[in-house]
Amino acid sequence: MDLHAAAKGALEFLLTPSIPVIVLGFAVVLLFPVFLHWFLSRSTAYITLPSILVAGPPGAGKTALITRLERRAPKPATTYTSQTTNIVELAVNEDGSSSYSDDLDASGAVAKKFLVIDTPGHGKLRGATLARLTTASSTASDTKLRAVVYMVDSAALAEDGGVAAAASYLYDILLALQKRMGAGNSSKAPPAIPVLVAANKADLFTALPAALIKTQLEAELSRIRTSRSKGLLSSGVGADDVDSANESDDWLGEYGSKAFSFAQMREFDIDVDVVAGNVVGGTDSGPGVDKWWRWIADKV
Ligand SMILES: Nc1nc2c(ncn2[C@@H]2O[C@H](COP(=O)(O)OP(=O)(O)OP(=O)(O)O)[C@@H](O)[C@H]2O)c(=O)[nH]1
Ligand SMILES: [Mg+2]
């Protein structure tokens, strides 16, 4: 009897409409999606970290640089020709002043994390790398690609055909970046992606100095530009049939200019810097990697 009454009382209490219960119920229903969104977007923050793409001809030292930065070591790991893209997560402190060799976790500093994407240099594997630059064009917000490091072997450039090999891939990359700035039908240009030409292996005595590498690459890029535009004209169509708008799309830098210079990329908001350094050997045998690290830290 007593039990019956107690059960009845409890049931009555549960079923009686009460303001606090209704308010609480509404609050849960309305706030749950908000909470879920916050939770999910927090856990996917990883894939939207700012990233730096490292590209360049085979053997330039891209993987060596990445392993050295990742290990915060004075020496790179032993590397082999890369066949796949390799991504490492690095961090620099909030004001961008920390060295690549600082352990930010240990010092407890607030760190800005970013990704460095090491790509294979082999000719057959460049498509995926160039595609990364093109997809960076789709919308301004879905990409966090901040900069491209184009690494070259400063000693190989002094050899026969070295400049030509280094310049043709650079041409493709700069053209992809240039098209990206013009592409898209929104009036808002995508965020600019600057390029660092990292002239590696400055420790070798045969290495060309950065200033010479710059002028040699510019001269070779001019040659490539001229020969590619002639290729368009001689490909069966008469000069009159070639849509001049299309041709200017495939022209790197200032349209119609005689010689190419990196400064012409400014028109497309693309800064190109040439900086010498060396991954192997410390700062006693060359400039080391500090200047490149500063450049990268400045862009993320
Ligand atoms: N002397 C010297 N050798 C270097 C330097 N940096 C890298 N190397 C050497 O260059 C070789 C090629 O380096 P990798 O990092 O494998 O080259 P990569 O650019 O990743 O080449 P792919 O993966 O084929 O595109 C390795 O034997 C490195 O030890 C440097 O600053 N000085
Ligand atoms: Mg590699």
Side-chain angles (χ1 to χ4, degrees):
M1 189 65 194
D2 233 19
L3 198 69
H4 191 198
K8 201 178 155 202
L11 201 67
E12 223 167 55
F13 171 74
L14 282 177
L15 294 180
T16 314
S18 87
I19 297 296
V21 171
I22 290 172
V23 169
L24 198 72
F26 263 110
V28 169
V29 168
L30 292 177
L31 291 181
F32 181 72
V34 175
F35 178 75
L36 192 70
H37 175 84
W38 170 78
F39 183 76
L40 289 181
S41 60
R42 199 188 55 150
S43 55
T44 53
Y46 179 79
I47 57 160
T48 57
L49 282 177
S51 58
I52 305 286
L53 185 79
V54 183
K62 301 178 290 296
T63 310
L65 173 70
I66 264 82
T67 56
R68 183 167 167 193
L69 295 179
E70 186 185 21
R71 296 166 174 212
R72 300 194 295 266
K75 278 199 314 198
T78 309
T79 59
Y80 305 93
T81 295
S82 308
Q83 301 197 5
T84 53
T85 297
N86 158 26
I87 301 180
V88 301
E89 189 184 304
L90 300 174
V92 62
N93 69 2
E94 199 68 6
D95 57 5
S97 64
S98 63
S99 157
Y100 74 94
S101 56
D102 289 348
D103 186 349
L104 296 178
D105 283 343
S107 64
V110 186
K112 271 193 294 188
K113 288 185 177 162
F114 63 96
L115 303 177
V116 176
I117 307 170
D118 169 30
T119 60
H122 192 281
K124 287 187 176 168
L125 303 171
R126 289 177 187 174
T129 308
L130 291 169
R132 271 178 198 274
L133 298 178
T134 328
T135 51
S137 72
S138 39
T139 44
S141 60
D142 74 347
T143 175
K144 286 277 190 123
L145 185 64
R146 290 291 164 78
V148 173
V149 174
Y150 187 79
M151 189 170 252
V152 296
D153 176 340
S154 314
L157 286 182
E159 291 161 17
D160 267 357
V163 177
S168 66
Y169 190 14
L170 181 58
Y171 191 95
D172 293 336
I173 288 179
L174 290 178
L175 193 60
L177 289 175
Q178 174 181 319
K179 284 185 173 173
R180 170 186 168 275
M181 294 311 277
N185 27 28
S186 74
S187 55
K188 197 166 152 270
I193 297 182
V195 178
L196 170 68
V197 177
N200 192 25
K201 310 199 186 179
D203 56 309
L204 299 178
F205 122 93
T206 48
L208 295 186
L212 196 56
I213 290 178
K214 179 167 183 262
T215 53
Q216 294 212 353
L217 283 176
E218 284 177 338
E220 187 59 30
L221 288 168
S222 304
R223 261 194 293 278
I224 295 174
R225 185 168 77 172
T226 313
S227 72
R228 289 202 191 177
S229 69
K230 282 195 184 127
L232 276 180
L233 293 175
S234 61
S235 62
V237 269
D240 298 339
D241 301 339
V242 175
D243 187 345
S244 68
N246 270 345
E247 197 189 328
S248 67
D249 276 355
D250 282 330
W251 182 277
L252 186 68
E254 186 193 329
Y255 188 60
S257 58
K258 207 161 187 296
F260 172 81
S261 74
F262 287 130
Q264 291 175 9
M265 299 308 291
R266 282 288 326 141
E267 195 188 319
F268 304 95
D269 235 0
I270 302 166
D271 277 315
V272 184
D273 296 315
V274 183
V275 179
N278 56 301
V279 180
V280 173
T283 37
D284 43 313
S285 45
V289 298
D290 288 335
K291 279 193 194 142
W292 298 336
W293 174 260
R294 288 268 76 79
W295 190 93
I296 291 172
D298 190 44
K299 305 297 182 280
V300 293

